[in-house]
Amino acid sequence: MIKLFRSKIYWALTLVVLVVLIGVFGYRFISGFTWSDALYMTIITVTTVGFSEVRPLDATSKMFTVFLIIASIFIIAFAISVITEYLLSRNSLQLLKKKKVKNRISNLSGHIIICGYGRNGMQAAERLKAYERPFVVIEKNKEVVEKYEAELLFVEGDANDDAVLEQAGIARAQYLIAAMPDDAANLFVVLSARQLNANLFIISRASQTNSYRKLELAGANKVIMPDRIGGDHMASLVVMPDLITFMDKLSMEGGDTTHLEEVAIEDFTDQMECNSLRDLDLRNKTGCTIIGYITPDGAYIINPEADMNIEPKSKVIVLGRPEQIQRLNEMFHIV
């Protein structure tokens, strides 16, 4: 629809330019005016401002002026109506688009809120899209919102504003990622989010080491320092290049590229009787290998024993090739 209106605007502007050119050439060759006088006469005639003529007009020039006035009235009226209709329609489309986004967000529950769509926020969004997890992005840069709004759910505004967080459905959200580059902004977001939803799992970015503890005290469950992780990774490539390269190959992108998967024990126990990891027998059934176990209280056990008893609300970390992970998900109906 916007393209249709733009084509009408181009057509209207073309007609306006055409009537001006006709006026200039008409006064130049019909009335014998100089080019500057012809342009002057055309402008005062088309705009109907009522200024006096350069000199008295003969009968032919008067008839040409009548024609020019009538043509310009219709053409300018058409141009004004097209431009007005375009502006009103654009505003209406923006309102409808915002209402549609608002309705989609209101239907979300257990979703993720990403505050800031910079480098880290964009990476988080791409990963969540790969896993088909519902999320909303809060971004105050209007140009960024307009550029990506066709692909993602955006709430335009400052994440430090409680009203903006509420628009993103923070009361129903399960996670919040504070990915803004400024530690102070992330700190305020964490404080506000924790007040609005006490059960929210909050992950915050930190640039400065002294911000780490402050963010935890403000209510962040996890604090990530991307710069530190990047430096550690580069140093590890020097010390253990083959091991780090192998770890980089272990993709967690989701879909057909997944090599690691986190699975809740309930996904298994709801479909089969099992008391230990050996009872799951994932290696023979799917080809996947259990490389980690997470207890209900959050303790991590690397390379657990096969005879380890499994508990409700615990999780296992499995490793496998993409087709093996897919077989696991299909066998146990893991979404």
Side-chain angles (χ1 to χ4, degrees):
M1 185 176 291
I2 296 295
K3 290 183 178 180
L4 177 61
F5 282 127
R6 284 178 179 172
S7 65
K8 286 185 177 180
I9 289 175
Y10 295 148
W11 177 240
L13 292 176
T14 301
L15 290 177
V16 170
V17 172
L18 182 63
V19 78
V20 170
L21 291 175
I22 290 174
V24 171
F25 281 97
Y27 282 118
R28 177 70 179 87
F29 296 106
I30 294 175
S31 304
F33 290 162
T34 63
W35 288 110
S36 59
D37 287 344
L39 177 61
Y40 172 77
M41 284 296 299
T42 301
I43 296 301
I44 66 172
T45 302
V46 169
T47 57
T48 64
V49 294
F51 289 165
S52 61
E53 298 92 344
V54 174
R55 65 170 182 263
L57 302 176
D58 57 23
T60 305
S61 298
K62 288 180 180 179
M63 292 303 298
F64 175 74
T65 301
V66 170
F67 161 77
L68 191 62
I69 291 173
I70 294 174
S72 62
I73 288 175
F74 282 105
I75 289 174
I76 291 177
F78 171 69
I80 292 174
S81 66
V82 169
I83 293 172
T84 303
E85 186 180 5
Y86 169 73
L87 294 175
L88 292 175
S89 299
R90 186 173 184 179
N91 290 334
S92 298
L93 286 173
Q94 289 295 330
L95 290 174
L96 288 173
K97 189 181 295 183
K98 289 182 178 180
K99 186 176 181 180
K100 183 179 179 181
V101 170
K102 186 177 180 180
N103 290 335
R104 290 177 63 186
I105 294 175
S106 65
N107 293 326
L108 293 178
S109 181
H111 59 288
I112 302 100
I113 298 175
I114 300 176
C115 299
Y117 199 63
R119 184 179 68 254
N120 294 124
M122 190 176 296
Q123 290 173 346
E126 289 176 357
R127 182 62 57 88
L128 292 173
K129 281 177 65 177
Y131 274 97
E132 298 182 353
R133 296 290 299 272
F135 64 93
V136 178
V137 179
I138 298 177
E139 174 58 52
K140 64 181 180 180
N141 189 324
K142 188 174 182 179
E143 293 181 358
V144 173
V145 175
E146 291 178 348
K147 183 177 181 180
Y148 297 102
E149 64 182 350
E151 307 170 15
L152 307 172
L153 282 178
F154 274 97
V155 173
E156 184 180 343
D158 191 343
N160 289 316
D161 189 343
D162 288 357
V164 173
L165 290 172
E166 289 171 354
Q167 288 179 38
I170 193 169
R172 305 180 307 278
Q174 186 176 4
Y175 296 91
L176 181 139
I177 299 174
M180 292 178 289
D182 183 48
D183 287 356
N186 288 327
L187 182 63
F188 282 114
V189 169
V190 171
L191 284 168
S192 299
R194 182 56 69 205
Q195 293 296 318
L196 294 172
N197 187 342
N199 298 321
L200 193 67
F201 192 95
I202 301 176
I203 304 167
S204 177
R205 168 187 169 168
S207 299
Q208 303 296 326
T209 305
N210 56 8
S211 300
Y212 192 97
R213 182 60 179 164
K214 294 177 183 178
L215 286 163
E216 287 187 329
L217 291 173
N221 299 92
K222 297 287 184 181
V223 180
I224 306 299
M225 299 185 67
D227 295 337
R228 181 175 179 180
I229 292 174
D232 289 344
H233 190 83
M234 287 186 286
S236 298
L237 282 171
V238 174
V239 180
M240 302 174 291
D242 294 332
L243 175 60
I244 299 303
T245 302
F246 177 77
M247 295 298 295
D248 289 340
K249 297 291 184 182
L250 298 180
S251 170
M252 295 178 289
E253 289 292 338
D256 297 332
T257 63
T258 306
H259 292 86
L260 291 170
E261 189 77 52
E262 175 186 301
V263 186
I265 286 297
E266 282 71 22
D267 289 335
F268 302 121
T269 56
D270 288 347
Q271 302 178 56
M272 58 185 292
E273 290 291 333
C274 53
N275 298 313
S276 67
L277 296 179
R278 187 187 301 276
D279 295 336
L280 294 176
D281 198 21
L282 294 185
R283 181 66 179 175
N284 290 327
K285 293 178 179 178
T286 65
C288 296
T289 302
I290 298 176
I291 63 171
Y293 179 78
I294 306 173
T295 63
D297 58 1
Y300 289 79
I301 300 174
I302 305 299
N303 194 24
E305 301 293 336
D307 294 328
M308 174 177 286
N309 292 328
I310 56 178
E311 304 174 70
K313 297 184 179 180
S314 60
K315 298 178 181 179
V316 293
I317 307 297
V318 299
L319 170 68
R321 296 192 300 274
E323 65 273 14
Q324 294 170 334
I325 295 293
Q326 184 177 359
R327 193 180 307 132
L328 170 73
N329 293 334
E330 291 175 352
M331 180 174 292
F332 294 98
H333 309 289
I334 300 171
V335 180

